[in-house]
Amino acid sequence: QVQLVDSGGGLVQAGGSLRLSCQASGRGFSSYAVGWFRQAPGKERELVAAISWSGADTYYTDLVKGRFTISRDNAKKTGYLQMNSLKPEDTSVYYCAGDRVGWPIRTTQSDYDTWGQGTQVTVSS
């Protein structure tokens, strides 16, 4: 079983950047797809980006295309979400999640088996 710990959130001004990290422990991370979800107060949790087990395939919601980049380093058991040109509407708690079905990328929250604890991202205007 894979366990995930996400980190890297913080307070940033609009237009700024943050890089989130998702550190895995346990066995099997390299076969998992990794997704980054976010949830703002009063809103549903939504998938922001996902990456297949190999890193060959990625998915982005239209809201972040061209601004966010998802990546992974299987040797380090770590996933990343580079967030550039941040907007106030990106303010949310961000969660990394692992899907033991490493490919194809799945976009439904219930498909993800293991979750990080969440990291707060706040973008000020």
Side-chain angles (χ1 to χ4, degrees), residues 45-66:
R45 189 174 296 187
E46 61 177 352
L47 179 63
V48 173
I51 188 166
S52 62
W53 70 272
S54 67
D57 295 319
T58 57
Y59 163 88
Y60 297 95
T61 181
D62 287 346
L63 295 171
V64 306
K65 278 181 182 176

Side-chain angles (χ1 to χ4, degrees), residues 5-57:
V5 176
D6 37 40
S7 62
L11 173 63
V12 64
Q13 289 188 331
S17 298
L18 284 173
R19 188 175 81 156
L20 305 183
S21 296
C22 177
Q23 180 67 57
S25 60
R27 301 178 67 178
F29 174 78
S30 61
S31 67
Y32 276 58
V34 173
W36 285 95
F37 291 77
R38 68 185 182 188
Q39 186 169 22
K43 293 190 176 182
E44 296 287 320
R45 189 174 296 187
E46 61 177 352
L47 179 63
V48 173
I51 188 166
S52 62
W53 70 272
S54 67
D57 295 319

Side-chain angles (χ1 to χ4, degrees), residues 15-120:
S17 298
L18 284 173
R19 188 175 81 156
L20 305 183
S21 296
C22 177
Q23 180 67 57
S25 60
R27 301 178 67 178
F29 174 78
S30 61
S31 67
Y32 276 58
V34 173
W36 285 95
F37 291 77
R38 68 185 182 188
Q39 186 169 22
K43 293 190 176 182
E44 296 287 320
R45 189 174 296 187
E46 61 177 352
L47 179 63
V48 173
I51 188 166
S52 62
W53 70 272
S54 67
D57 295 319
T58 57
Y59 163 88
Y60 297 95
T61 181
D62 287 346
L63 295 171
V64 306
K65 278 181 182 176
R67 300 189 298 123
F68 291 11
T69 302
I70 191 170
S71 62
R72 66 189 298 158
D73 185 333
N74 285 342
K76 295 182 178 179
K77 294 186 178 181
T78 306
Y80 304 98
L81 185 67
Q82 177 68 42
M83 305 186 296
N84 299 329
S85 303
L86 282 161
K87 305 176 180 180
E89 51 265 42
D90 294 317
T91 295
S92 286
V93 178
Y94 284 71
Y95 301 87
C96 69
D99 179 1
R100 68 182 66 218
V101 177
W103 183 89
I105 290 172
R106 301 194 291 182
T107 58
T108 303
Q109 186 178 170
S110 59
D111 290 328
Y112 288 76
D113 311 286
T114 184
W115 292 79
Q117 80 286 1
T119 185
Q120 176 71 47

